[in-house]
Amino acid sequence: MSEQWIQGCLVQRITFRDGLVLNLDDYNELVISVPLELTLPETNTDDSEVVAIDPKALRNEVRPLFDFAGQRCTHADWEDNGSLHLSFSDGHRIDVRPDENRTSWELYGKYHGYAACLPHGRVRVVRHDQEDSDQEDDNITTRGG
């Protein structure tokens, strides 16, 4: 797996169109199209909480939970099975599991490339900021053979 280029990027905008869309600096965009777990950070009055959210069927009352625009992505990785894990500087976290029937998430980077979790947890990565030999192991990872 190659370095996740969005780590350290600032979340510039959070929108919902065909899923959750995170626009990050350096011309990066992450689209999450399947249900996710959003971990809300602890506050002075509330403990940390995990909320299950379907970004394609978002209720208006949960939109305020996505109030972390302006925060840095402090951790970004995906597993061989397609699970995506993100952490942000204010304590928010997003965890996404792969879907058997559709693309779970897609990451577009103008200066880096493309990564996606395809159906059945297959991860596809195309980097145009690295030599071909650097991405030999990054191209496709298939779960379950």
Side-chain angles (χ1 to χ4, degrees), residues 90-126:
D90 68 345
H92 278 86
R93 289 194 324 258
I94 294 177
D95 295 289
V96 183
R97 292 190 186 114
D99 189 280
E100 290 299 311
N101 302 308
R102 60 185 168 152
T103 298
S104 301
W105 54 266
E106 297 172 276
L107 174 60
Y108 307 92
K110 179 178 179 179
Y111 299 118
H112 302 282
Y114 172 80
C117 177
L118 304 173
H120 307 291
R122 293 176 315 160
V123 175
R124 175 77 169 133
V125 178
V126 176

mmCIF file of all heavy atoms in Angstrom, residues 90-126:
data_model
loop_
_atom_site.group_PDB
_atom_site.id
_atom_site.type_symbol
_atom_site.label_atom_id
_atom_site.label_comp_id
_atom_site.label_asym_id
_atom_site.label_seq_id
_atom_site.Cartn_x
_atom_site.Cartn_y
_atom_site.Cartn_z
ATOM 1 N N ASP A 90 -9.647 17.434 15.170
ATOM 2 C CA ASP A 90 -10.556 17.757 16.276
ATOM 3 C C ASP A 90 -11.120 16.516 16.963
ATOM 4 O O ASP A 90 -11.916 16.630 17.882
ATOM 5 C CB ASP A 90 -11.697 18.653 15.799
ATOM 6 C CG ASP A 90 -12.653 17.936 14.863
ATOM 7 O OD1 ASP A 90 -12.306 16.846 14.351
ATOM 8 O OD2 ASP A 90 -13.755 18.468 14.630
ATOM 9 N N GLY A 91 -10.733 15.324 16.507
ATOM 10 C CA GLY A 91 -11.197 14.090 17.135
ATOM 11 C C GLY A 91 -12.262 13.331 16.364
ATOM 12 O O GLY A 91 -12.588 12.200 16.711
ATOM 13 N N HIS A 92 -12.825 13.915 15.314
ATOM 14 C CA HIS A 92 -13.769 13.172 14.484
ATOM 15 C C HIS A 92 -13.037 12.020 13.796
ATOM 16 O O HIS A 92 -11.856 12.142 13.464
ATOM 17 C CB HIS A 92 -14.371 14.079 13.394
ATOM 18 C CG HIS A 92 -15.500 14.925 13.846
ATOM 19 N ND1 HIS A 92 -15.314 16.155 14.434
ATOM 20 C CD2 HIS A 92 -16.843 14.723 13.789
ATOM 21 C CE1 HIS A 92 -16.491 16.681 14.720
ATOM 22 N NE2 HIS A 92 -17.435 15.833 14.344
ATOM 23 N N ARG A 93 -13.750 10.916 13.599
ATOM 24 C CA ARG A 93 -13.206 9.778 12.849
ATOM 25 C C ARG A 93 -14.295 9.254 11.916
ATOM 26 O O ARG A 93 -15.479 9.319 12.234
ATOM 27 C CB ARG A 93 -12.757 8.658 13.783
ATOM 28 C CG ARG A 93 -11.517 8.989 14.574
ATOM 29 C CD ARG A 93 -10.880 7.776 15.246
ATOM 30 N NE ARG A 93 -11.798 6.783 15.742
ATOM 31 C CZ ARG A 93 -12.156 6.628 17.020
ATOM 32 N NH1 ARG A 93 -11.686 7.445 17.932
ATOM 33 N NH2 ARG A 93 -12.982 5.675 17.383
ATOM 34 N N ILE A 94 -13.867 8.710 10.796
ATOM 35 C CA ILE A 94 -14.773 8.066 9.849
ATOM 36 C C ILE A 94 -14.209 6.692 9.535
ATOM 37 O O ILE A 94 -13.028 6.553 9.225
ATOM 38 C CB ILE A 94 -14.912 8.884 8.547
ATOM 39 C CG1 ILE A 94 -15.607 10.214 8.831
ATOM 40 C CG2 ILE A 94 -15.678 8.085 7.490
ATOM 41 C CD1 ILE A 94 -15.717 11.123 7.620
ATOM 42 N N ASP A 95 -15.074 5.691 9.623
ATOM 43 C CA ASP A 95 -14.711 4.322 9.272
ATOM 44 C C ASP A 95 -15.732 3.808 8.272
ATOM 45 O O ASP A 95 -16.944 3.937 8.479
ATOM 46 C CB ASP A 95 -14.678 3.431 10.505
ATOM 47 C CG ASP A 95 -13.575 3.852 11.464
ATOM 48 O OD1 ASP A 95 -12.405 3.639 11.129
ATOM 49 O OD2 ASP A 95 -13.898 4.416 12.527
ATOM 50 N N VAL A 96 -15.228 3.224 7.179
ATOM 51 C CA VAL A 96 -16.089 2.736 6.102
ATOM 52 C C VAL A 96 -15.717 1.291 5.813
ATOM 53 O O VAL A 96 -14.542 0.978 5.636
ATOM 54 C CB VAL A 96 -15.903 3.572 4.816
ATOM 55 C CG1 VAL A 96 -16.846 3.099 3.717
ATOM 56 C CG2 VAL A 96 -16.080 5.052 5.088
ATOM 57 N N ARG A 97 -16.729 0.447 5.739
ATOM 58 C CA ARG A 97 -16.511 -0.959 5.376
ATOM 59 C C ARG A 97 -16.822 -1.141 3.895
ATOM 60 O O ARG A 97 -17.657 -0.432 3.339
ATOM 61 C CB ARG A 97 -17.414 -1.864 6.200
ATOM 62 C CG ARG A 97 -17.043 -1.872 7.651
ATOM 63 C CD ARG A 97 -17.813 -2.962 8.399
ATOM 64 N NE ARG A 97 -17.538 -2.845 9.818
ATOM 65 C CZ ARG A 97 -18.438 -2.507 10.727
ATOM 66 N NH1 ARG A 97 -19.684 -2.284 10.375
ATOM 67 N NH2 ARG A 97 -18.103 -2.417 11.990
ATOM 68 N N PRO A 98 -16.204 -2.120 3.270
ATOM 69 C CA PRO A 98 -16.499 -2.370 1.850
ATOM 70 C C PRO A 98 -17.914 -2.910 1.678
ATOM 71 O O PRO A 98 -18.504 -3.452 2.604
ATOM 72 C CB PRO A 98 -15.459 -3.417 1.451
ATOM 73 C CG PRO A 98 -15.085 -4.088 2.723
ATOM 74 C CD PRO A 98 -15.209 -3.057 3.805
ATOM 75 N N ASP A 99 -18.434 -2.750 0.487
ATOM 76 C CA ASP A 99 -19.758 -3.246 0.130
ATOM 77 C C ASP A 99 -19.581 -4.352 -0.911
ATOM 78 O O ASP A 99 -18.721 -4.247 -1.773
ATOM 79 C CB ASP A 99 -20.607 -2.104 -0.436
ATOM 80 C CG ASP A 99 -22.052 -2.487 -0.626
ATOM 81 O OD1 ASP A 99 -22.353 -3.149 -1.651
ATOM 82 O OD2 ASP A 99 -22.885 -2.139 0.221
ATOM 83 N N GLU A 100 -20.397 -5.355 -0.829
ATOM 84 C CA GLU A 100 -20.287 -6.477 -1.767
ATOM 85 C C GLU A 100 -20.746 -6.119 -3.178
ATOM 86 O O GLU A 100 -20.321 -6.744 -4.137
ATOM 87 C CB GLU A 100 -21.094 -7.682 -1.256
ATOM 88 C CG GLU A 100 -20.481 -8.336 -0.040
ATOM 89 C CD GLU A 100 -19.082 -8.876 -0.302
ATOM 90 O OE1 GLU A 100 -18.890 -9.585 -1.319
ATOM 91 O OE2 GLU A 100 -18.175 -8.586 0.500
ATOM 92 N N ASN A 101 -21.610 -5.115 -3.298
ATOM 93 C CA ASN A 101 -22.255 -4.866 -4.584
ATOM 94 C C ASN A 101 -21.924 -3.550 -5.262
ATOM 95 O O ASN A 101 -22.309 -3.342 -6.407
ATOM 96 C CB ASN A 101 -23.778 -4.943 -4.401
ATOM 97 C CG ASN A 101 -24.189 -6.294 -3.857
ATOM 98 O OD1 ASN A 101 -23.815 -7.318 -4.398
ATOM 99 N ND2 ASN A 101 -24.926 -6.288 -2.763
ATOM 100 N N ARG A 102 -21.263 -2.645 -4.553
ATOM 101 C CA ARG A 102 -20.989 -1.349 -5.170
ATOM 102 C C ARG A 102 -19.697 -0.742 -4.642
ATOM 103 O O ARG A 102 -19.165 -1.166 -3.625
ATOM 104 C CB ARG A 102 -22.145 -0.386 -4.963
ATOM 105 C CG ARG A 102 -22.449 -0.113 -3.512
ATOM 106 C CD ARG A 102 -23.676 0.759 -3.372
ATOM 107 N NE ARG A 102 -24.105 0.765 -1.979
ATOM 108 C CZ ARG A 102 -24.749 1.745 -1.423
ATOM 109 N NH1 ARG A 102 -25.046 2.813 -2.101
ATOM 110 N NH2 ARG A 102 -25.108 1.680 -0.162
ATOM 111 N N THR A 103 -19.239 0.282 -5.334
ATOM 112 C CA THR A 103 -18.043 0.997 -4.911
ATOM 113 C C THR A 103 -18.343 1.723 -3.605
ATOM 114 O O THR A 103 -19.345 2.419 -3.490
ATOM 115 C CB THR A 103 -17.619 2.002 -5.998
ATOM 116 O OG1 THR A 103 -17.315 1.257 -7.194
ATOM 117 C CG2 THR A 103 -16.418 2.815 -5.572
ATOM 118 N N SER A 104 -17.489 1.517 -2.608
ATOM 119 C CA SER A 104 -17.707 2.087 -1.278
ATOM 120 C C SER A 104 -17.175 3.507 -1.165
ATOM 121 O O SER A 104 -17.819 4.364 -0.577
ATOM 122 C CB SER A 104 -17.036 1.227 -0.214
ATOM 123 O OG SER A 104 -17.553 -0.074 -0.246
ATOM 124 N N TRP A 105 -15.988 3.723 -1.674
ATOM 125 C CA TRP A 105 -15.366 5.043 -1.589
ATOM 126 C C TRP A 105 -14.422 5.237 -2.763
ATOM 127 O O TRP A 105 -13.917 4.272 -3.336
ATOM 128 C CB TRP A 105 -14.624 5.238 -0.257
ATOM 129 C CG TRP A 105 -13.623 4.182 0.079
ATOM 130 C CD1 TRP A 105 -13.821 3.066 0.842
ATOM 131 C CD2 TRP A 105 -12.252 4.112 -0.350
ATOM 132 N NE1 TRP A 105 -12.676 2.314 0.913
ATOM 133 C CE2 TRP A 105 -11.693 2.940 0.197
ATOM 134 C CE3 TRP A 105 -11.453 4.932 -1.128
ATOM 135 C CZ2 TRP A 105 -10.368 2.565 -0.020
ATOM 136 C CZ3 TRP A 105 -10.125 4.566 -1.350
ATOM 137 C CH2 TRP A 105 -9.604 3.393 -0.783
ATOM 138 N N GLU A 106 -14.222 6.507 -3.113
ATOM 139 C CA GLU A 106 -13.310 6.880 -4.184
ATOM 140 C C GLU A 106 -12.540 8.116 -3.749
ATOM 141 O O GLU A 106 -13.122 9.054 -3.210
ATOM 142 C CB GLU A 106 -14.076 7.207 -5.461
ATOM 143 C CG GLU A 106 -14.844 6.023 -6.014
ATOM 144 C CD GLU A 106 -15.742 6.431 -7.144
ATOM 145 O OE1 GLU A 106 -16.863 6.900 -6.858
ATOM 146 O OE2 GLU A 106 -15.316 6.288 -8.311
ATOM 147 N N LEU A 107 -11.256 8.097 -3.988
ATOM 148 C CA LEU A 107 -10.378 9.206 -3.647
ATOM 149 C C LEU A 107 -9.712 9.696 -4.927
ATOM 150 O O LEU A 107 -9.057 8.923 -5.628
ATOM 151 C CB LEU A 107 -9.320 8.757 -2.640
ATOM 152 C CG LEU A 107 -8.226 9.753 -2.285
ATOM 153 C CD1 LEU A 107 -8.811 11.021 -1.669
ATOM 154 C CD2 LEU A 107 -7.221 9.103 -1.338
ATOM 155 N N TYR A 108 -9.933 10.973 -5.236
ATOM 156 C CA TYR A 108 -9.353 11.593 -6.420
ATOM 157 C C TYR A 108 -8.332 12.618 -5.967
ATOM 158 O O TYR A 108 -8.642 13.474 -5.148
ATOM 159 C CB TYR A 108 -10.424 12.330 -7.232
ATOM 160 C CG TYR A 108 -11.619 11.493 -7.582
ATOM 161 C CD1 TYR A 108 -12.738 11.467 -6.753
ATOM 162 C CD2 TYR A 108 -11.627 10.736 -8.744
ATOM 163 C CE1 TYR A 108 -13.848 10.703 -7.088
ATOM 164 C CE2 TYR A 108 -12.738 9.964 -9.076
ATOM 165 C CZ TYR A 108 -13.838 9.948 -8.245
ATOM 166 O OH TYR A 108 -14.925 9.197 -8.567
ATOM 167 N N GLY A 109 -7.144 12.537 -6.518
ATOM 168 C CA GLY A 109 -6.113 13.521 -6.205
ATOM 169 C C GLY A 109 -5.491 14.055 -7.482
ATOM 170 O O GLY A 109 -4.842 13.301 -8.204
ATOM 171 N N LYS A 110 -5.691 15.317 -7.757
ATOM 172 C CA LYS A 110 -5.187 15.913 -8.991
ATOM 173 C C LYS A 110 -3.690 15.682 -9.163
ATOM 174 O O LYS A 110 -3.221 15.416 -10.262
ATOM 175 C CB LYS A 110 -5.494 17.410 -8.992
ATOM 176 C CG LYS A 110 -4.994 18.146 -10.223
ATOM 177 C CD LYS A 110 -5.368 19.604 -10.193
ATOM 178 C CE LYS A 110 -4.856 20.329 -11.410
ATOM 179 N NZ LYS A 110 -5.245 21.742 -11.403
ATOM 180 N N TYR A 111 -2.937 15.786 -8.072
ATOM 181 C CA TYR A 111 -1.488 15.660 -8.161
ATOM 182 C C TYR A 111 -0.976 14.278 -7.773
ATOM 183 O O TYR A 111 0.232 14.045 -7.807
ATOM 184 C CB TYR A 111 -0.816 16.710 -7.270
ATOM 185 C CG TYR A 111 -1.156 18.111 -7.688
ATOM 186 C CD1 TYR A 111 -1.837 18.965 -6.838
ATOM 187 C CD2 TYR A 111 -0.824 18.576 -8.953
ATOM 188 C CE1 TYR A 111 -2.166 20.253 -7.223
ATOM 189 C CE2 TYR A 111 -1.156 19.859 -9.352
ATOM 190 C CZ TYR A 111 -1.820 20.691 -8.486
ATOM 191 O OH TYR A 111 -2.152 21.967 -8.871
ATOM 192 N N HIS A 112 -1.879 13.370 -7.415
ATOM 193 C CA HIS A 112 -1.431 12.077 -6.906
ATOM 194 C C HIS A 112 -1.992 10.889 -7.667
ATOM 195 O O HIS A 112 -1.260 9.965 -7.976
ATOM 196 C CB HIS A 112 -1.785 11.941 -5.425
ATOM 197 C CG HIS A 112 -1.188 13.021 -4.602
ATOM 198 N ND1 HIS A 112 0.139 13.020 -4.235
ATOM 199 C CD2 HIS A 112 -1.711 14.162 -4.109
ATOM 200 C CE1 HIS A 112 0.401 14.109 -3.538
ATOM 201 N NE2 HIS A 112 -0.704 14.822 -3.447
ATOM 202 N N GLY A 113 -3.294 10.861 -7.906
ATOM 203 C CA GLY A 113 -3.872 9.729 -8.606
ATOM 204 C C GLY A 113 -5.280 9.438 -8.145
ATOM 205 O O GLY A 113 -6.038 10.351 -7.792
ATOM 206 N N TYR A 114 -5.593 8.168 -8.106
ATOM 207 C CA TYR A 114 -6.943 7.716 -7.837
ATOM 208 C C TYR A 114 -6.866 6.448 -7.004
ATOM 209 O O TYR A 114 -6.002 5.599 -7.225
ATOM 210 C CB TYR A 114 -7.635 7.419 -9.174
ATOM 211 C CG TYR A 114 -8.970 6.755 -9.069
ATOM 212 C CD1 TYR A 114 -10.111 7.487 -8.769
ATOM 213 C CD2 TYR A 114 -9.108 5.390 -9.284
ATOM 214 C CE1 TYR A 114 -11.351 6.887 -8.687
ATOM 215 C CE2 TYR A 114 -10.348 4.778 -9.205
ATOM 216 C CZ TYR A 114 -11.462 5.524 -8.906
ATOM 217 O OH TYR A 114 -12.686 4.927 -8.820
ATOM 218 N N ALA A 115 -7.782 6.312 -6.051
ATOM 219 C CA ALA A 115 -7.900 5.078 -5.272
ATOM 220 C C ALA A 115 -9.387 4.848 -5.038
ATOM 221 O O ALA A 115 -10.152 5.798 -4.874
ATOM 222 C CB ALA A 115 -7.169 5.197 -3.935
ATOM 223 N N ALA A 116 -9.798 3.588 -5.045
ATOM 224 C CA ALA A 116 -11.207 3.275 -4.828
ATOM 225 C C ALA A 116 -11.333 1.884 -4.237
ATOM 226 O O ALA A 116 -10.505 1.010 -4.492
ATOM 227 C CB ALA A 116 -11.988 3.349 -6.134
ATOM 228 N N CYS A 117 -12.401 1.705 -3.471
ATOM 229 C CA CYS A 117 -12.779 0.387 -2.987
ATOM 230 C C CYS A 117 -13.945 -0.075 -3.845
ATOM 231 O O CYS A 117 -15.067 0.428 -3.712
ATOM 232 C CB CYS A 117 -13.171 0.428 -1.517
ATOM 233 S SG CYS A 117 -13.719 -1.183 -0.904
ATOM 234 N N LEU A 118 -13.674 -0.990 -4.747
ATOM 235 C CA LEU A 118 -14.665 -1.513 -5.675
ATOM 236 C C LEU A 118 -15.520 -2.578 -4.977
ATOM 237 O O LEU A 118 -15.226 -2.960 -3.843
ATOM 238 C CB LEU A 118 -13.942 -2.089 -6.890
ATOM 239 C CG LEU A 118 -13.006 -1.110 -7.606
ATOM 240 C CD1 LEU A 118 -12.208 -1.827 -8.685
ATOM 241 C CD2 LEU A 118 -13.774 0.057 -8.173
ATOM 242 N N PRO A 119 -16.564 -3.080 -5.648
ATOM 243 C CA PRO A 119 -17.363 -4.142 -5.031
ATOM 244 C C PRO A 119 -16.499 -5.317 -4.566
ATOM 245 O O PRO A 119 -15.452 -5.593 -5.145
ATOM 246 C CB PRO A 119 -18.301 -4.560 -6.165
ATOM 247 C CG PRO A 119 -18.454 -3.317 -6.990
ATOM 248 C CD PRO A 119 -17.092 -2.667 -6.946
ATOM 249 N N HIS A 120 -16.951 -5.965 -3.532
ATOM 250 C CA HIS A 120 -16.279 -7.117 -2.921
ATOM 251 C C HIS A 120 -14.973 -6.740 -2.226
ATOM 252 O O HIS A 120 -14.137 -7.594 -1.968
ATOM 253 C CB HIS A 120 -16.020 -8.234 -3.934
ATOM 254 C CG HIS A 120 -17.238 -8.654 -4.687
ATOM 255 N ND1 HIS A 120 -18.277 -9.318 -4.095
ATOM 256 C CD2 HIS A 120 -17.594 -8.456 -5.981
ATOM 257 C CE1 HIS A 120 -19.225 -9.533 -4.992
ATOM 258 N NE2 HIS A 120 -18.842 -9.016 -6.144
ATOM 259 N N GLY A 121 -14.770 -5.460 -1.933
ATOM 260 C CA GLY A 121 -13.591 -5.039 -1.192
ATOM 261 C C GLY A 121 -12.313 -4.973 -2.000
ATOM 262 O O GLY A 121 -11.228 -4.875 -1.433
ATOM 263 N N ARG A 122 -12.410 -5.004 -3.313
ATOM 264 C CA ARG A 122 -11.204 -4.878 -4.141
ATOM 265 C C ARG A 122 -10.759 -3.423 -4.143
ATOM 266 O O ARG A 122 -11.555 -2.532 -4.450
ATOM 267 C CB ARG A 122 -11.464 -5.331 -5.573
ATOM 268 C CG ARG A 122 -11.739 -6.810 -5.685
ATOM 269 C CD ARG A 122 -12.070 -7.177 -7.095
ATOM 270 N NE ARG A 122 -13.027 -6.174 -7.600
ATOM 271 C CZ ARG A 122 -13.250 -5.946 -8.881
ATOM 272 N NH1 ARG A 122 -12.650 -6.622 -9.800
ATOM 273 N NH2 ARG A 122 -14.133 -5.022 -9.261
ATOM 274 N N VAL A 123 -9.509 -3.185 -3.814
ATOM 275 C CA VAL A 123 -8.969 -1.823 -3.805
ATOM 276 C C VAL A 123 -8.165 -1.607 -5.072
ATOM 277 O O VAL A 123 -7.304 -2.411 -5.421
ATOM 278 C CB VAL A 123 -8.093 -1.571 -2.559
ATOM 279 C CG1 VAL A 123 -7.451 -0.198 -2.622
ATOM 280 C CG2 VAL A 123 -8.922 -1.721 -1.293
ATOM 281 N N ARG A 124 -8.470 -0.515 -5.754
ATOM 282 C CA ARG A 124 -7.763 -0.152 -6.978
ATOM 283 C C ARG A 124 -7.062 1.172 -6.740
ATOM 284 O O ARG A 124 -7.697 2.144 -6.314
ATOM 285 C CB ARG A 124 -8.760 -0.023 -8.129
ATOM 286 C CG ARG A 124 -8.171 0.465 -9.414
ATOM 287 C CD ARG A 124 -7.402 -0.645 -10.101
ATOM 288 N NE ARG A 124 -7.056 -0.232 -11.446
ATOM 289 C CZ ARG A 124 -5.858 -0.375 -11.956
ATOM 290 N NH1 ARG A 124 -4.899 -0.934 -11.261
ATOM 291 N NH2 ARG A 124 -5.599 0.017 -13.167
ATOM 292 N N VAL A 125 -5.764 1.214 -6.990
ATOM 293 C CA VAL A 125 -4.977 2.429 -6.809
ATOM 294 C C VAL A 125 -4.192 2.694 -8.084
ATOM 295 O O VAL A 125 -3.524 1.812 -8.598
ATOM 296 C CB VAL A 125 -3.988 2.287 -5.618
ATOM 297 C CG1 VAL A 125 -3.145 3.547 -5.475
ATOM 298 C CG2 VAL A 125 -4.722 1.964 -4.338
ATOM 299 N N VAL A 126 -4.301 3.908 -8.578
ATOM 300 C CA VAL A 126 -3.514 4.348 -9.725
ATOM 301 C C VAL A 126 -2.826 5.633 -9.304
ATOM 302 O O VAL A 126 -3.482 6.625 -9.009
ATOM 303 C CB VAL A 126 -4.397 4.600 -10.964
ATOM 304 C CG1 VAL A 126 -3.556 5.141 -12.114
ATOM 305 C CG2 VAL A 126 -5.139 3.343 -11.368
#
